[in-house]
Amino acid sequence: MTKTTEGRKRILSGMRPTGRLHLGNLVGALANWRDLQDDYECFFMIADYHALMSEYEAPAKIAANAREVLLDFVACGLDPVRSVIFRQSEVPQHAELHLILSCYTPIGWLERNPTYKEQMRELTTRDIHNYAFLGYPVLQAADIVVYRAHCVPVGEDQLPHLELTRELVRRFNNLVGEDALVEPHAKLTASPRLLGTDRRKMSKSYGNQIDIADDPDTIRKKVMSMITDPKRIRRNDPGHPDECNVCDWYKTFSPGEADEVARKCREALWGCTDCKSRLAEVLIAYLAEPHRRRQELEADPDRLHRILADGGERARAVAADTLADIKRLTGLGAM
Ligand code: ATP
Ligand code: MG
């Protein structure tokens, strides 16, 4: 397997700028990404083309959201010096490779994509019957292979996506008769699936999230509104911590006290209000460092611009190199 010039394997990962990032994004993705920086050469992408696919009717917010995502990235410890942090639309090779790869993608592969079918059913607030949305796995493949990334950090549920990229790479290499594209591997990361304040999966689209950037008062308010153990009606009733979302959050955000919290709940030594008040303070402490970094960065817009300018330049250099090879192999190179 090829390695990068620095000898470390390369990783590509990204987020769609559809809003501020939340605690689910932090524990489910960003915390892992932050740690991966020690062992991998990381490319972290603000996937604004992917946002446009579903937000094209009201695209004005995409730029502002891209700024929020950048702030959240850096606030949570993604390091713009060690890693390449960039905005997808500032690297035109993503779009170019997307078009080339689309020539090699059988439509049936896209129509069979289970996530596509699910989104078509579930996403009722947006009209995603557009040409681009059907083909988003092709753009995703381009995102990864344009950097010749070796690995992509994914949860188990995202494995089918990567499989399509891998199939497409094999088909392309086969047809052009050269191993021009690198087949990426899944870097399976064990990450908790955080439920939101209403006990459904925490998600921007459900409005049940606590944002990384929420101030302490907002955090307190949201935590106090969390649904707890539905079977515990009176303060003196024994609770069922295994069925309570609030107790569960302690395991993620303050594992050292999770057992004690569960005992106090089970034995009705404290009520849900006590449990939530304490959890709010735990979260405020958990987010103190990201908040400090975020504020520092918000006060320095020049630095924000420099991060993206520098990341874009580094990303384009790698992507241009890949594209030169691909164009040569597909008859689009020099005559
Ligand atoms: P949307 O509502 O637009 O789908 P989202 O809030 O669900 O947004 P995604 O963009 O779908 O967030 O996910 C970005 C990353 O964050 C993915 O790696 C995903 O696995 C992770 N993630 C999102 N929500 C959670 C969650 N509740 N728990 C753990 N990880 C999550
Ligand atoms: Mg989602």
Side-chain angles (χ1 to χ4, degrees):
M1 182 182 282
T2 50
K3 289 201 174 174
T4 62
T5 42
E6 294 161 56
R8 288 178 303 162
K9 286 188 188 164
R10 193 176 282 159
I11 269 192
L12 179 281
S13 213
M15 290 274 188
R16 288 174 359 116
T18 50
R20 287 178 161 183
L21 302 182
H22 52 69
L23 284 176
N25 300 135
L26 173 52
V27 301
L30 291 177
N32 283 325
W33 298 5
R34 182 180 57 211
D35 295 343
L36 288 170
Q37 296 178 114
D38 296 335
D39 300 315
Y40 292 85
E41 185 192 11
C42 296
F43 283 66
F44 297 123
M45 170 177 75
I46 301 170
D48 51 0
Y49 276 130
H50 284 284
L52 185 62
M53 288 179 185
S54 63
E55 311 303 304
Y56 60 92
E57 285 176 292
K61 285 197 198 130
I62 295 177
N65 286 334
R67 179 176 170 277
E68 297 291 341
V69 170
L70 176 60
L71 286 166
D72 286 328
F73 273 7
V74 180
C76 293
L78 305 191
D79 174 355
V81 175
R82 282 195 294 165
S83 301
V84 180
I85 300 179
F86 67 98
R87 205 172 154 191
Q88 187 184 28
S89 62
E90 290 177 6
V91 184
Q93 288 82 2
H94 287 256
E96 252 185 299
L97 187 54
H98 169 249
L99 180 50
I100 295 172
L101 289 181
S102 75
C103 301
Y104 292 80
T105 311
I107 298 175
W109 288 9
L110 301 174
E111 287 169 337
R112 277 200 300 274
N113 168 16
T115 314
Y116 176 72
K117 289 199 259 183
E118 185 194 308
Q119 295 269 22
M120 281 304 209
R121 265 196 325 269
E122 304 280 325
L123 198 65
T124 50
T125 53
R126 309 266 192 291
D127 182 0
I128 49 171
H129 293 77
N130 50 350
Y131 165 62
F133 196 76
L134 175 66
Y136 83 84
V138 185
L139 181 57
Q140 238 169 23
D143 298 336
I144 300 165
V145 302
V146 83
Y147 301 108
R148 304 186 204 268
H150 308 102
C151 317
V152 184
V154 289
E156 215 140 327
D157 51 331
Q158 294 160 308
L159 279 177
H161 276 126
L162 193 63
E163 217 30 67
L164 198 144
T165 297
R166 287 158 55 87
E167 254 175 292
L168 188 51
V169 165
R170 288 196 293 267
R171 179 172 158 83
F172 180 89
N173 287 346
N174 241 328
L175 289 171
V176 301
E178 205 174 287
D179 281 345
L181 297 179
V182 174
E183 195 175 324
H185 295 265
K187 167 108 188 106
L188 267 182
T189 44
S191 51
R193 183 170 173 275
L194 197 71
L195 299 187
T197 50
D198 61 357
R199 297 182 64 162
R200 292 187 295 168
K201 183 190 166 207
M202 185 177 286
S203 175
K204 278 174 253 157
S205 359
Y206 295 153
N208 62 356
Q209 78 275 37
I210 292 182
D211 288 339
I212 294 164
D214 276 343
D215 60 62
D217 275 345
T218 308
I219 293 174
R220 286 189 191 100
K221 237 181 260 151
K222 288 185 178 174
V223 171
M224 293 322 280
S225 80
M226 282 175 74
I227 297 172
T228 54
D229 171 9
K231 289 194 215 138
R232 189 174 182 194
I233 296 160
R234 283 175 300 267
R235 161 74 179 78
N236 293 332
D237 292 344
H240 307 81
D242 292 337
E243 293 165 46
C244 176
N245 197 18
V246 175
C247 289
D248 209 55
W249 279 29
Y250 278 94
K251 291 186 202 150
T252 304
F253 298 105
S254 187
E257 63 185 307
D259 285 344
E260 177 63 10
V261 164
R263 189 180 68 84
K264 285 200 277 194
C265 170
R266 217 177 282 114
E267 297 175 12
L269 298 175
W270 71 356
C272 295
T273 309
D274 306 311
C275 189
K276 289 199 246 189
S277 306
R278 167 75 196 140
L279 179 65
E281 300 315 309
V282 163
L283 294 179
I284 291 165
Y286 188 88
L287 291 172
E289 178 66 13
H291 280 186
R292 194 191 54 73
R293 288 219 196 103
R294 206 178 201 279
Q295 272 162 10
E296 218 174 76
L297 204 57
E298 272 188 302
D300 190 355
D302 279 353
R303 182 156 174 249
L304 276 182
H305 286 124
R306 280 200 309 277
I307 290 174
L308 281 190
D310 174 62
E313 197 174 314
R314 290 157 73 194
R316 281 189 298 274
V318 178
D321 194 55
T322 308
L323 250 292
D325 268 358
I326 302 305
K327 284 189 153 177
R328 176 179 55 79
L329 288 166
T330 50
L332 306 167
M335 285 192 280

